[in-house]
Amino acid sequence: LMNLSGLSVASAAEIYNLRPEDIYLVHDDLDKALGKVAIKLGGSARGHNGVRSCISALHSNEMTRLRVGIGRP
């Protein structure tokens, strides 16, 4: 379901009258060490399907992202 999360995010944005730049996405990041975090404004989905879904549903990539490292197995 995470791969389709943009539908829920876009619906909530509409209900609460939020612009993409008002939204903070928190998502996992395989390329970051376990427990490391990074914050980023805008940019591409970098292969993350949940972020890609949000960008597509909101027609914008201007969300702030909090990337939480989970490391590679």
Side-chain angles (χ1 to χ4, degrees):
L1 292 176
M2 183 174 67
N3 292 346
L4 302 176
S5 59
L7 301 174
S8 297
V9 172
S11 178
E14 186 176 337
I15 289 168
Y16 294 105
N17 197 28
L18 299 173
R19 300 168 302 168
E21 54 270 16
D22 298 327
I23 296 171
Y24 283 71
L25 297 179
V26 179
H27 65 89
D28 58 339
D29 190 336
L30 277 172
D31 295 326
K32 290 210 151 311
L34 181 63
K36 297 291 182 182
V37 296
I39 194 163
K40 175 184 177 186
L41 175 61
S44 73
R46 296 182 48 179
H48 194 285
N49 291 329
V51 174
R52 182 178 294 124
S53 174
C54 290
I55 290 171
S56 175
L58 292 167
H59 308 289
S60 175
N61 67 345
E62 293 301 313
M63 293 77 65
T64 300
R65 295 106 188 256
L66 179 63
R67 301 180 345 222
V68 180
I70 60 171
R72 294 219 173 249

